[in-house]
Amino acid sequence: MSTDLESLQTQALAEIESASDPRAIEQLRVDLLGKKGRVTELLKQLGGMAPDARKAFGERVNLAKEALSAALSSRARTLEDAALDARIAAETVDVTLAGRGERCGALHPVTRTIRRIEAIFASMGFETVEGPEIEDDWHNFQALNIPESHPARAMQDTFYALDGSRLLRTHTSPVQIRTMEKYRDSGRQPPIRIICPGRVYRVDFDRTHSPMFHQVEGLYIAENVGLADLKHDLQRFLTLFFEREAEALFRPSYFPFVEPGADVHMKWSAPGQPERWLELLGCGIVHPNVLEAVDIDPERYSGYAFGMGVERLAMLRYGVDDLRLFFNNDLRFLEQFA
Amino acid sequence: MKLSERWLREWVNPPVDATSWAAKLNMAGLECEAEPLHEKLPRGVVVARILSAQPHPQADRLRVCEVDAGTGTPLQIVCGAANARAGILVPAALPGAELPGGLRIEQAKLRGVDSSGMLCSASELALADKSEGLLELDASAVPGTPIETHLALADQLLNLELTPNRGDCLSIAGVARETAALYGLQACSPAIEPATVSSEACVALSIEDDKGCPHYVGRVIADIQPDARTPDWMRERLRRSGIRAIHPVVDITNYVMIELGQPMHGFDLARLNGGIRVRRARAGETLKLLNEETVTLSPDDLLIADASGPLVLAGIMGGEGSGVTAATTSIFLESACFDAVSIAHSGRRHKLLSDSRYRNERGVDPALQRRALERATALVLQICGGQPGPVVEAGAAVERGPAIRLRSAQVARLLGHTLDNADIETLLGRLDIALQREADGVWTAHAPSWRPDLRIEADLVEEIGRLYGYERIPPRRYAAALPGFAVTESTLPTAPLAQRLLGRGYQEIITYSFVDPALQAKLDPEARTIRLDNPIAETMAVMRSSLWPGLVATWIHNRQRQQPRARLFETGAVYALNTDGTVHETQRLGGLLAGSAFPEQWGARPVRNFDFFDARGDLEAIDASWHCIAAPHPALHPGQSARLYRGTVPIGWLGALHPRLAASMDLVESVLLFEIDMAALRDRAAPRGEAVPEVPSSRRDLAIVVSEQVPAQALLDVVRACGGPYLASAVIFDVYRGSGVPAGHKSVALGLIFQHASRTLNVAEVDQAVTEIAAGVNTQLGGSLRG
């Protein structure tokens, strides 16, 4: 009797040890410990035993069951571990292969520059406003103190449409007028602090001129705004934009819609070239005729205005030396700004 | 405009070199650069008189000249110039000389004859780009004088690029005046005295338009010498301002224009018929101008005319029939002030450029006419001789500008910097602005006649700031509180929308707003486009009515440069005409996808081209609050074309480029296009964060067989309408056609999720909802559940 049990246990342990996959373990568990398993079968012999022998044999069978059950679990764990190790070994990838999917695109450098300009002026309290590109003579010229036959009109060669009744704005300055008109029509009073980015157009097409380009206009109207404020704000803008202390030079100049007027130059050194003064933008104190054109009392309010070419700033900032690159839209050029 | 530094220094002599002088003018608002007149001066070239000129024994074209070059003994020089003749004075480069071009002159033999140097033309001395024959010099030139001394060639030029308001500085006198003001000096001028009248010859004068011509003076000078020659000093000064010597009278009027700023005109008296009239042209009158062009005039044009008709387009250009010639013996000199606006008008309409127009349209000093006339008279008498007649005059000079009230408070306000009253007076005094003190810090000012640009107080403030120096005004940090401006969420600015496209691999482009009408007609044939009156080229002639022409042209451009694929977008205005003729400008977002759907890469993805649903997916990523309805668009594939709606409002288009159009543009790969109104995209509500249920949801998958005619959207609409209150979402996860599905039908696999807010739904509730859905699909769409 006991010899049967011992030899069964020995044999069963050997079978468990040689089981090679979880399925075989499960089969063995049923085979040995299931309702009709070989160990369970042994218990059927209990019926013909004396009470003492029955107790002793029962205990030995239970011990054997526990031992086999533990051996089955242990073997199962070993097999699982080995299987996982094998899977891990098989799953090794070449991490130097490229990632999959789509790269991010880029904003056009001109848009990128406008965004920066907007963000800098927003931090200084300027709101961004926009206006139409197909303008009338009043907003583009007359209200800006550029009457018919003013020689300044020859400074800006204009595209006309609809038999001359409309024109493509030659600068973003008409948005000044439209904004001040809006204030007037809604009964609002200054202060006004805006910038106006956008497309502008001039009949000029060569290596250094594009018939369409971008400007950002600025306007600040309040009580007692003067040249000293303009100097401060533009100097600060240039310092923030170029991320270095900007040395700006304000030189008297002439634009019909400002008086006094100035253009702003900045000390610039390109690699391999001597340092020089670069003209960056035009500005000045808003001409009283402009304020009167939109019913703002020049005795009460004064203000400054400025206009800057976005492409010029973008070229300096990003080291672009040919204006035409901006409008060819060659992906190989544009992707550099991603 | 270029001016000789030496000439300027005769008027005012600041204690600085030309470069610093130019910098000072620059900082005062007169854009100016100093440049050398000549990079290199000739060396060893002297004035020489040709004593005799004999034919060369061996060469027909050459002459053997004997010249006096001031060396004591005559030299023999062989010369090929046609004008080489005894008696004239010319430049001679002696052996050892070096010409500006680098040529060295040595003792030589030409065809067997000794030549001790070379006689020079103007171009050989770099005095002209091209020239014919020897440069003939003044008869009074002294042989042996170095040519650079005789012609005063050691000089610099001040090159001024003036803004249109500073016409007063378009002369030696003007720049001298400005310089004197900047350095606190006094400018001097040559003495100009009225000529002693020695002839009674006179031309009657009448101004019929005194607004167009407020002041006109003139005089006859009779009996001038027709063979007079403009002296070298005057030729040189004109040359330095870019003016060629033509005829002594013309040269003198040009000289006075450069010197004083007054454009003048010299008539041949013999070619005038009766008196001079300043009048408006009659419609249809014509005038042949000095540049040989014939212009047809209109009543807007101001004329100088005589009894026979138009003589001169006033202030712009003389006529061919009345100017001086080599045969002229008596002249009538004109010195007039014209209305700047009228000149600008005529000049622009006739597209005529001249030094005269340039000055007149910027405004000529209305008090200068008589002074200029006397200056020109003196020069004519000096150079050509003659008998001056009395000055005839019409209209009147204006000596001072209008009264301008000036307040020191306004100076401080507009400059943002306070100046002493005494400083204000001193600075304006330097500009000859007359000030009359009305009260403390209040003046009445009158600008001098030559500053018509000074009209209002702000103009004077600029003059004060300019002379004081903008660089001396300290920057002021603005301290006043400003109201913040709205940062809205319900209207999104462009930036975050663009950002979403960038994240999906789109590249932003910026294309011209004017496009090729042919391309636009293909892509947007129904638009009422706006054509430019004066386009740069026919391919840039119409304003874009759609962003597609720019996107497609950009794709073609890149494709021709071996780019295999692109995702592009542009934001910006498109333009169209309304039916009432007004202009309609709309901000749009447009996109293009072309080529392979994925960048070239390793891995499992199937290689395929972009299709409709890639484009649609990108659009859904930026905004999901719209829906598509199949609709035809002339530029799009008839089976892959959708109009986008938000509610019932159409907001854009999405589809594949029409294969016929694609073929016409040699595009073989798929091209997807979309365009959507920015306003529709920007307008959205701020999000609401509602609580989400904690209890589990139930999912059922259904396969529904419907006709091919039933759009997915219609099926989803019915499912949602019939799904009861707990249907939380319905998504199509497969569309199957083929075995088991009748022809003309498709099997659409739906994933349905049912969810109650606070409890788990029981099976009966979900079954009930599915039954309702099946019934609804059946009755409304003829669909059935697939077994």
Side-chain angles (χ1 to χ4, degrees):
Chain A
M1 214 45 88
S2 63
T3 320
D4 282 358
L5 179 63
E6 273 162 20
S7 66
L8 175 61
Q9 186 169 349
T10 309
Q11 195 197 337
L13 284 171
E15 285 173 17
I16 290 169
E17 212 44 47
S18 63
S20 61
D21 59 64
R23 183 102 56 91
I25 299 277
E26 217 32 59
Q27 189 56 50
L28 276 172
R29 192 185 295 278
V30 173
D31 206 27
L32 294 167
L33 306 176
K35 275 185 185 154
K36 289 180 179 164
R38 281 177 281 166
V39 179
T40 320
E41 285 293 309
L42 284 177
L43 287 174
K44 290 178 181 167
Q45 299 174 11
L46 286 176
M49 283 185 185
D52 280 0
R54 185 191 297 179
K55 187 178 178 195
F57 184 66
E59 276 170 13
R60 283 178 54 214
V61 171
N62 278 335
L63 280 175
K65 280 177 79 174
E66 273 168 34
L68 290 176
S69 178
L72 282 166
S73 299
S74 159
R75 180 64 186 159
R77 259 200 312 280
T78 305
L79 286 175
E80 274 167 24
D81 276 355
L84 189 56
D85 284 346
R87 201 182 107 203
I88 288 169
E91 283 177 353
T92 302
V93 299
D94 178 356
V95 300
T96 64
L97 275 171
R100 230 174 268 128
E102 182 92 87
R103 296 269 171 87
C104 282
L107 283 181
H108 191 285
V110 166
T111 308
R112 187 186 171 110
T113 305
I114 290 175
R115 293 276 171 82
R116 269 175 60 72
I117 296 171
E118 285 178 340
I120 291 169
F121 278 108
S123 78
M124 294 159 65
F126 287 77
E127 182 175 10
T128 297
V129 298
E130 288 174 350
E133 293 164 23
I134 299 183
E135 266 294 3
D136 51 37
D137 198 84
W138 165 257
H139 289 94
N140 196 76
F141 290 125
Q142 290 172 47
L144 288 160
N145 197 33
I146 315 175
E148 180 86 3
S149 295
H150 194 289
R153 288 206 182 193
M155 292 161 86
Q156 304 178 353
D157 268 321
T158 311
F159 283 109
Y160 288 94
L162 305 180
D163 297 326
S165 68
R166 292 305 200 96
L167 52 84
L168 302 191
R169 66 181 180 191
T170 58
H171 43 196
T172 40
S173 309
V175 189
Q176 280 186 34
I177 302 299
R178 289 186 177 275
T179 304
M180 292 190 282
E181 284 176 342
K182 232 175 255 175
Y183 268 68
R184 175 195 63 198
D185 297 343
S186 63
R188 286 171 74 191
Q189 292 293 316
I192 301 173
R193 224 174 192 200
I194 53 160
I195 58 165
C196 330
R199 297 176 174 218
V200 298
Y201 306 87
R202 290 183 200 171
V203 186
D204 218 346
F205 200 9
D206 57 36
R207 219 186 76 77
T208 55
H209 294 90
S210 167
M212 180 191 94
F213 57 103
H214 295 75
Q215 278 189 342
V216 174
E217 185 84 2
L219 176 73
Y220 173 28
I221 307 279
E223 287 171 2
N224 300 319
V225 176
L227 206 55
D229 306 294
L230 176 62
K231 282 185 73 172
H232 170 268
D233 291 358
L234 285 179
Q235 192 125 25
R236 175 152 178 77
F237 164 74
L238 292 173
T239 297
L240 292 173
F241 184 83
F242 288 107
E243 295 187 83
R244 63 184 170 85
E245 203 53 51
E247 205 179 325
L249 183 76
F250 288 73
R251 205 191 65 172
S253 187
Y254 171 75
F255 308 96
F257 36 97
V258 290
E259 187 78 357
D263 43 38
V264 183
H265 297 240
M266 190 174 145
K267 208 170 248 184
W268 190 264
S269 57
Q273 281 177 18
E275 202 173 47
R276 62 203 167 109
W277 288 103
L278 267 192
E279 189 174 328
L280 280 187
L281 54 92
C283 61
I285 300 302
V286 179
H287 197 287
N289 289 358
V290 174
L291 294 178
E292 277 164 8
V294 291
D295 299 322
I296 290 180
D297 178 6
E299 287 292 311
R300 173 153 181 220
Y301 294 106
S302 60
Y304 69 62
F306 58 81
M308 57 181 88
V310 177
E311 281 79 1
R312 179 123 171 111
L313 289 170
M315 287 172 86
L316 292 172
R317 176 78 181 161
Y318 303 120
V320 176
D321 61 6
D322 189 342
L323 177 69
R324 293 171 295 190
L325 285 168
F326 288 131
F327 302 111
N328 282 346
N329 290 303
D330 191 308
L331 289 171
R332 293 165 299 175
F333 172 72
L334 296 177
E335 278 163 4
Q336 300 175 94
F337 297 90
Chain B
M1 180 190 62
K2 296 181 179 184
L3 297 175
S4 151
E5 180 198 358
R6 288 177 79 124
W7 188 1
L8 265 173
R9 283 198 191 271
E10 288 177 10
W11 283 66
V12 64
N13 194 9
V16 294
D17 66 11
T19 308
S20 312
W21 188 355
K24 183 89 168 175
L25 290 170
N26 240 311
M27 283 312 296
L30 278 69
E31 201 175 319
C32 181
E33 237 176 315
E35 55 190 51
L37 173 62
H38 292 287
E39 290 298 343
K40 222 171 134 206
L41 291 179
R43 237 172 8 96
V45 180
V46 298
V47 175
R49 183 191 305 278
I50 300 181
L51 301 172
S52 68
Q54 303 299 329
H56 189 291
Q58 311 293 334
D60 289 348
R61 293 235 198 99
L62 296 182
R63 253 164 254 243
V64 182
C65 301
E66 211 181 354
V67 305
D68 168 11
T71 51
T73 46
L75 301 172
Q76 178 173 295
I77 298 179
V78 178
C79 172
N83 64 336
R85 61 187 192 277
I88 62 170
L89 285 112
V90 296
L94 303 182
E98 189 176 343
L99 301 186
L103 181 67
R104 297 185 74 92
I105 306 301
E106 305 294 350
Q107 184 71 38
K109 255 189 185 355
L110 277 97
R111 294 279 187 104
V113 176
D114 284 328
S115 182
S116 306
M118 181 179 117
L119 304 182
C120 303
S121 69
S123 59
E124 283 159 343
L125 296 176
L127 301 176
D129 289 338
K130 53 181 180 189
S131 58
E132 239 172 68
L134 301 174
L135 172 63
E136 296 187 30
L137 300 171
D138 286 347
S140 60
V142 179
T145 312
I147 192 72
E148 63 272 25
T149 308
H150 176 68
L151 296 179
L153 294 180
D155 194 2
Q156 304 230 69
L157 298 176
L158 290 186
N159 188 356
L160 290 117
E161 197 70 61
L162 295 176
T163 51
N165 60 325
R166 291 311 301 271
D168 65 295
C169 284
L170 290 170
S171 63
I172 291 280
V175 175
R177 237 169 7 223
E178 188 75 7
T179 302
L182 292 173
Y183 286 96
L185 302 170
Q186 281 295 326
C188 46
S189 97
I192 299 175
E193 304 289 347
T196 309
V197 173
S198 56
S199 157
E200 286 176 7
C202 196
V203 169
L205 183 60
S206 70
I207 297 179
E208 292 171 19
D209 182 338
D210 53 4
K211 189 172 171 300
C213 177
H215 191 214
Y216 191 116
V217 296
R219 80 151 29 113
V220 170
I221 303 179
D223 304 330
I224 62 164
Q225 295 151 20
D227 57 350
R229 182 179 176 281
T230 304
D232 289 339
W233 62 267
M234 183 177 280
R235 288 168 179 268
E236 269 299 305
R237 287 181 169 184
L238 290 174
R239 178 176 74 87
R240 282 163 215 199
S241 290
I243 295 175
R244 221 159 38 84
I246 297 166
H247 178 285
V249 172
V250 178
D251 298 345
I252 287 165
T253 55
N254 282 331
Y255 185 86
V256 173
M257 174 179 74
I258 298 291
E259 184 182 56
L260 301 180
Q262 172 67 56
M264 296 183 66
H265 192 71
F267 295 90
D268 184 335
L269 187 65
R271 298 168 89 184
L272 294 183
N273 176 15
I276 289 279
R277 294 166 63 196
V278 185
R279 63 164 171 87
R280 292 282 160 187
R282 286 184 282 272
E285 272 186 305
T286 60
L287 173 59
K288 187 169 185 188
L289 298 169
L290 280 173
N291 66 1
E292 315 241 299
E293 218 178 286
T294 299
V295 289
T296 303
L297 305 166
S298 81
D300 285 343
D301 295 316
L302 194 66
L303 288 183
I304 312 299
D306 66 5
S308 310
L311 301 171
V312 171
L313 191 53
I316 298 174
M317 196 172 283
E320 191 214 35
S322 56
V324 293
T325 68
T328 301
T329 53
S330 290
I331 58 170
F332 176 73
L333 281 179
E334 162 192 297
S335 176
C337 175
F338 299 108
D339 175 48
V341 171
S342 167
I343 301 294
H345 232 97
S346 286
R348 195 171 322 151
R349 195 172 50 253
H350 296 297
K351 296 192 171 66
L352 292 168
L353 294 176
S354 69
D355 289 321
S356 176
R357 171 191 164 187
Y358 190 74
R359 286 171 174 76
N360 279 314
E361 72 182 4
R362 279 161 177 76
V364 165
D365 180 354
L368 181 60
Q369 288 67 44
R370 192 175 269 270
R371 199 169 130 78
L373 181 66
E374 293 296 356
R375 176 65 171 153
T377 304
L379 289 168
V380 170
L381 297 184
Q382 181 189 328
I383 292 165
C384 311
Q387 310 297 327
V391 172
V392 289
E393 179 169 23
V398 181
E399 297 292 339
R400 280 276 163 196
I404 308 170
R405 195 160 81 112
L406 176 69
R407 296 157 296 173
S408 62
Q410 200 68 355
V411 177
R413 178 170 177 251
L414 295 184
L415 294 182
H417 185 61
T418 306
L419 272 74
D420 290 342
N421 289 349
D423 288 342
I424 291 173
E425 289 176 353
T426 307
L427 292 173
L428 293 182
R430 285 196 199 166
L431 292 170
D432 286 303
I433 294 169
L435 286 180
Q436 197 178 335
R437 198 174 308 171
E438 304 294 342
D440 188 35
V442 181
W443 301 268
T444 297
H446 290 272
S449 58
W450 57 83
R451 292 298 302 272
D453 59 313
L454 303 182
R455 280 287 170 270
I456 60 169
E457 192 174 34
D459 297 330
L460 299 179
V461 173
E462 175 173 86
E463 293 305 298
I464 294 163
R466 209 167 63 81
L467 254 59
Y468 179 75
Y470 282 5
E471 71 280 4
R472 289 170 65 199
I473 298 173
R476 182 171 69 187
R477 191 168 179 164
Y478 191 67
L482 279 153
F485 53 83
V487 179
T488 62
E489 216 172 10
S490 51
T491 56
L492 272 185
T494 318
L497 296 173
Q499 205 61 41
R500 294 177 190 188
L501 287 176
L502 299 183
R504 294 178 77 87
Y506 279 79
Q507 174 62 51
E508 189 198 20
I509 61 168
I510 296 181
T511 66
Y512 287 137
S513 308
F514 18 69
V515 298
D516 185 349
L519 182 59
Q520 176 141 295
K522 285 180 180 179
L523 291 168
D524 194 9
E526 282 153 23
R528 299 171 53 89
T529 52
I530 297 167
R531 201 185 161 83
L532 292 177
D533 296 345
N534 54 338
I536 275 188
E538 181 55 26
T539 52
M540 302 162 95
V542 297
M543 297 305 285
R544 63 186 185 189
S545 60
S546 157
L547 298 174
W548 290 352
L551 285 160
V552 169
T554 300
W555 167 237
I556 292 172
H557 176 92
N558 279 282
R559 199 174 165 275
Q560 287 163 350
R561 284 155 188 77
Q562 297 85 44
Q563 296 295 309
R565 63 190 299 273
R567 270 187 156 108
L568 305 175
F569 82 95
E570 179 168 16
T571 60
V574 299
Y575 321 84
L577 269 184
N578 291 325
T579 41
D580 65 357
T582 55
V583 173
H584 189 59
E585 208 170 309
T586 326
Q587 294 290 320
R588 296 231 179 114
L589 164 69
L592 173 147
L593 299 85
S596 60
F598 309 105
E600 192 171 8
Q601 55 191 279
W602 74 281
R605 281 196 152 127
V607 176
R608 64 169 179 85
N609 279 341
F610 281 117
D611 67 17
F612 182 90
F613 300 99
D614 293 309
R616 180 168 172 159
D618 291 338
L619 266 184
E620 283 167 349
I622 49 172
D623 184 292
S625 67
W626 47 267
H627 62 275
C628 275
I629 291 178
H633 185 289
L636 298 178
H637 187 303
Q640 299 180 20
S641 166
R643 187 146 207 198
L644 310 182
Y645 287 86
R646 204 178 195 200
T648 56
V649 183
I651 60 168
W653 288 93
L654 163 66
L657 180 62
H658 197 296
R660 284 214 178 80
L661 269 183
S664 78
M665 293 183 259
D666 289 329
L667 294 172
V668 289
E669 66 289 310
S670 63
V671 174
L672 282 302
L673 292 166
F674 61 81
E675 186 174 51
I676 191 160
D677 279 345
M678 280 308 287
L681 285 181
R682 286 173 172 186
D683 172 23
R684 55 176 70 199
R688 291 184 54 79
E690 287 177 9
V692 290
E694 286 295 327
V695 294
S697 58
S698 308
R699 173 167 174 137
R700 291 293 168 89
D701 289 353
L702 300 182
I704 294 174
V705 177
V706 288
S707 156
E708 286 282 8
Q709 307 306 317
V710 177
Q713 186 64 50
L715 177 60
L716 285 173
D717 288 346
V718 170
V719 167
R720 289 195 180 112
C722 303
Y726 309 131
L727 178 65
S729 81
V731 62
I732 293 173
F733 64 86
D734 193 26
V735 180
Y736 171 78
R737 299 171 179 89
S739 152
V741 177
H745 287 67
K746 57 190 173 186
S747 169
V748 181
L750 283 166
L752 307 175
I753 293 184
F754 297 91
Q755 172 83 64
H756 190 283
S758 57
R759 63 177 174 82
T760 308
L761 292 169
N762 60 42
V763 173
E765 285 171 316
V766 177
D767 285 349
Q768 175 62 31
V770 169
T771 307
E772 303 272 347
I773 288 171
V777 167
N778 186 263
T779 55
Q780 295 181 45
L781 303 172
S784 57
L785 286 189
R786 192 160 160 236

